[in-house]
Amino acid sequence: MSRTEATVEELLALVPEMDEMELLRLRVIAAAIPDPGRAWDSSSAYATVDKRIVSADDVERAVRDAEEAFRQYVTVLYEGLRPVFRSFYEGRGDEAAGHLVAMGERMEGEGRLKGARQCYRAALTLSLPLLEKAPQILALRRIARVALHLGEFQEASQHYERSAQLARDADDLRGEVVARTGMGNVLAWQGRWVDAEATYGDALLLAEGASEGDFTLELAQILYNLGHLATRMERLEEAEDWLARAFDRAEAAASPVDLAICHMNLGHLRYKQGRLEEARSAYDRARLLPVSRSLLSGIASDIADVCLREGHVSQAEEWGRVAEEHAIAAGSAYILGRMYQGRGNIARALGDEDGFIFFEKALEIAAEKGYPFLEAETRADYAELRRQFGGTEEAQAYLERARELFQELGAVRDVARMEAALAELRAQPAGFAIEPEEPEHPLAVAGD
């Protein structure tokens, strides 16, 4: 029997699991719309992208667009390699390495993180024997940045450390400042907040002590990262000071992304202070800036948290759907996973057992794409939902696996958090539900 539409789930089952087909999979997801036939069905509130529908015509357009984009991608790859070879044959290895890094940056900007890492690794290999260390310093940082985004903290830390040491030896002050900021980011994601703060402090001293060069942007990033850590560690007056300084630098640098992150961090601080109207205002200012759909998805999730805490349940759910739309448009599996983790937490805070659908989708994405930190955090959050509804054994299994993943990642604070949750779970009487924790904002850190 012929048909005019199908669900994303049905269509993706037809697409072979090949790297070359990843763009098509994302295009199909982007073309999908909520099923109008289920608009008044209560279960539609829990429909993930899998249940959206795509018409036959839209699939044809998605295939055509993905094919053209893939052709352009292949052209860019080969065009990018031509200057690499030219520079190599002319004996300019530093230029060849720079061209490889540029290829990687373009791929990274398109969400092709693993392909970008391969470009950066090729640049690193080429740069190792060179007397000029700048290409090696940059390649190491780029590999570290991708590893951090993928949740591979040990690799990220090692490469940032090597980059910082090389930069110091080469008297490359900017390179050292940026690498040390990156090291601070890794430590912050691992929950090693005191170590992260000390590392950011080292970078700050270096940048502020610079006698030459403009370090305005680097200082903005260090300052708002310090502000975020101070908020996390409940040093709220100190966080105010850091963020005020960060705003001055971000505005002077004229960087919309960094200014948006300043507003997000201010929103986190106001949320922690219970000043919800001001938190919402800060998030609104962030979302009005020209930033990526990925960042907009995170901002929408933050606004949903504020609405939830204010008791505006329908608004919270609506902003959760806005976060979903931005995540889909971003064309990033990682952002989709993060968004569904956030929607699961909204459902958990509402005491809605059907929120398991969102957690399951986030776990599916994390496992399929290899995002260990996302998987660990989602398992920890999912465990809270399970134990709210008496699923003690399931909750314990999720917490134990989350603890294993956090241990592998070196996330010491999260390991301790999982052990405390397990101890609390084992001590609770049968059938006793523990109140869910207040949702914690993700880290809004940046640095090259």
Side-chain angles (χ1 to χ4, degrees), residues 123-237:
L124 177 61
T125 299
L126 181 59
S127 67
L128 287 175
L130 300 176
L131 293 177
E132 170 59 46
K133 295 304 175 186
Q136 185 178 344
I137 291 166
L138 179 58
L140 285 165
R141 283 210 318 269
R142 290 292 181 266
I143 295 170
R145 186 170 70 184
V146 170
L148 177 57
H149 289 164
L150 291 172
E152 297 171 4
F153 299 144
Q154 305 295 352
E155 180 180 358
S157 180
Q158 290 168 5
H159 283 77
Y160 274 132
E161 178 63 48
R162 284 178 61 195
S163 182
Q165 188 58 57
L166 275 174
R168 175 177 284 272
D169 293 343
D171 293 323
D172 177 2
L173 183 57
R174 189 180 305 279
E176 185 179 1
V177 167
V178 175
R180 293 201 180 281
T181 302
M183 288 167 59
N185 293 346
V186 177
L187 292 165
W189 275 107
Q190 288 180 310
R192 297 167 60 184
W193 296 343
V194 173
D195 293 335
E197 187 176 44
T199 303
Y200 288 140
D202 291 341
L204 182 63
L205 286 173
L206 289 170
E208 288 185 326
S211 58
E212 297 180 8
D214 181 3
F215 283 78
T216 301
L217 182 59
E218 290 81 4
L219 283 167
Q221 294 170 349
I222 296 166
L223 290 165
Y224 63 62
N225 288 341
L226 284 166
H228 188 88
L229 282 181
T231 300
R232 281 287 181 95
M233 294 188 283
E234 305 281 350
R235 303 203 306 260
L236 304 187
E237 289 186 10

Side-chain angles (χ1 to χ4, degrees), residues 275-306:
R275 296 158 61 177
L276 300 183
E277 187 175 339
E278 293 175 60
R280 171 65 182 270
S281 178
Y283 295 141
D284 280 337
R285 287 193 293 273
R287 73 183 178 86
L288 293 176
L289 289 164
V291 296
S292 69
R293 299 298 287 268
S294 299
L295 196 55
L296 288 172
S297 179
I299 294 167
S301 293
D302 286 339
I303 294 174
D305 282 344
V306 173

Side-chain angles (χ1 to χ4, degrees), residues 389-441:
F389 293 93
T392 304
E393 291 184 3
E394 286 180 295
Q396 181 171 330
Y398 281 118
L399 288 171
E400 288 174 346
R401 179 55 182 153
R403 181 180 60 184
E404 289 175 9
L405 288 166
F406 283 133
Q407 283 174 333
E408 292 169 7
L409 294 165
V412 292
R413 186 178 293 268
D414 288 307
V415 170
R417 184 164 60 91
M418 294 305 96
E419 290 177 346
L422 282 164
E424 188 177 11
L425 184 66
R426 294 178 184 123
Q428 76 179 58
F432 177 76
I434 297 174
E435 286 296 315
E437 296 178 357
E438 182 179 293
E440 189 173 72
H441 295 288

Side-chain angles (χ1 to χ4, degrees), residues 1 7 10 25 29 38 94 97 104 149-150 172 234 246 319 386 413 419 423 426 433 442:
M1 184 176 68
T7 65
E10 292 173 313
R25 300 171 75 85
I29 290 171
R38 299 178 59 193
D94 56 339
H149 289 164
L150 291 172
D172 177 2
E234 305 281 350
W319 278 105
R386 285 304 188 195
R413 186 178 293 268
E419 290 177 346
R426 294 178 184 123

